[in-house]
Amino acid sequence: MTSLGRADCFDPDGVRFGVPTYPWRLAPQGLATRRQLRALGLRPGGQEVAAQVFRPRRRGA
């Protein structure tokens, strides 16, 4: 399996993955996670996905 680098995960137009994609901690302001929406008393359901974030995996040896 090939790992994706930070540059591979930056696709704000959604060309590669079909949905805007950002590296971990580099998503634009105004997007919120399900957990953040729940904390604000908002339901994170019913809306289309606005973007996704790829987070690096740490693998043990």
Side-chain angles (χ1 to χ4, degrees), residues 31-55:
L31 295 179
T33 65
R34 291 181 199 165
R35 187 174 292 172
Q36 291 167 332
L37 290 170
R38 193 177 311 115
L40 293 170
L42 302 172
R43 280 190 60 215
Q47 299 85 8
E48 293 294 319
V49 172
Q52 67 180 344
V53 174
F54 274 154
R55 185 173 153 178

Side-chain angles (χ1 to χ4, degrees), residues 3-41:
S3 63
L4 295 174
R6 185 172 267 193
D8 297 323
C9 298
F10 188 73
D11 179 24
D13 297 321
V15 174
R16 181 173 182 174
F17 300 106
V19 64
T21 305
Y22 301 95
W24 181 248
R25 297 188 182 239
L26 292 178
Q29 292 287 329
L31 295 179
T33 65
R34 291 181 199 165
R35 187 174 292 172
Q36 291 167 332
L37 290 170
R38 193 177 311 115
L40 293 170

